[in-house]
Amino acid sequence: MVRRVSDLLLVRHGETAWSADGRHTGRTDVPLTPNGVEEAISLAPYFRDRHPALVLTSPLRRAVATAELAGLADGVTDPDLYEWDYGGYEGVTTAEIQRTRPHWSLWSDGVPPGDAEHPGESAAQVAARADRALARMAPVLRDADGGDAVVVAHGHFLRVLTARYLGLPPEDGRLFMLRTGTVSVLSTEHGLPVIAGWNIQP
């Protein structure tokens, strides 16, 4: 196995009105709240002296704005970094879903189809996108002269990506609670993938 010498930094975007309310926010393009803007700005010192070799962001404006406010202005948008498509549960909270499905979990039960703009995705479909993104970042992470790679994206997607990085099934993303406006660090130890930091708030 090729020794990895760079870290993969995961940034969850700042707060939105929907994330504050616990509403499932997939492809709906909601902006940051004032608090979300402050969360994003607070990340800037963390990146001030870092020079990542690659910055990828979700195309959604909450991720793009977070990257810019955090000082990651050279980010390239990547459609594989969209949030999980929640289908018929877009904009709905877990509490609302569990009124009719008391034991429902996104990780084990998935989502029903929605409209044309929100057809819904399975965990396996989200994992396929995460795997493609990890494959694109692999050369950077193996480059002995390179810097870190940074991904600015969304809570559930980043949790799936973390599971896949660690060699776990996508459903194990349930183990990695991820807060808004935070940095998490995926690295290696003795050639094996590890979590080196999680939910860091600089």
Side-chain angles (χ1 to χ4, degrees), residues 127 131 160-173 175-176:
D131 287 347
V160 171
L161 185 143
T162 298
R164 299 303 300 141
Y165 178 90
L166 297 172
L168 301 173
E171 293 82 5
D172 281 353
L175 301 171
F176 311 117

Side-chain angles (χ1 to χ4, degrees), residues 86-168:
Y86 299 117
Y89 288 156
E90 181 76 7
V92 183
T93 68
T94 296
E96 290 169 334
I97 296 166
Q98 290 181 341
R99 289 173 189 164
T100 55
R101 300 181 66 182
H103 303 293
W104 175 84
S105 166
L106 172 68
W107 303 102
S108 57
D109 301 314
V111 299
D115 57 23
E117 294 183 359
H118 307 94
E121 283 184 297
S122 67
Q125 289 173 313
V126 180
R129 294 195 283 112
D131 287 347
R132 289 196 297 268
L134 287 169
R136 281 193 289 279
M137 289 181 281
V140 172
L141 297 175
R142 289 195 297 261
D143 184 355
D145 298 318
D148 297 329
V150 181
V151 173
V152 185
H154 312 277
H156 280 128
F157 174 80
L158 291 174
R159 292 167 72 174
V160 171
L161 185 143
T162 298
R164 299 303 300 141
Y165 178 90
L166 297 172
L168 301 173

Side-chain angles (χ1 to χ4, degrees), residues 11-100:
V11 179
R12 186 182 175 193
H13 63 75
E15 179 193 79
T16 69
W18 281 25
S19 69
D21 291 340
R23 299 170 68 181
H24 287 90
T25 319
R27 305 301 171 88
T28 303
D29 203 4
V30 295
L32 299 176
T33 62
N35 183 58
V37 169
E38 291 302 315
E39 286 181 335
I41 291 172
S42 74
L43 299 175
Y46 185 88
F47 292 105
R48 184 169 295 133
D49 297 322
R50 294 174 183 265
H51 304 283
L54 178 66
V55 178
L56 298 177
T57 76
S58 161
L60 295 172
R61 57 179 166 167
R62 57 191 184 270
V64 173
T66 296
E68 292 174 349
L69 292 166
L72 299 165
D74 296 328
V76 177
T77 58
D78 184 340
D80 276 335
L81 305 185
Y82 274 118
E83 178 61 298
W84 195 317
D85 183 339
Y86 299 117
Y89 288 156
E90 181 76 7
V92 183
T93 68
T94 296
E96 290 169 334
I97 296 166
Q98 290 181 341
R99 289 173 189 164
T100 55

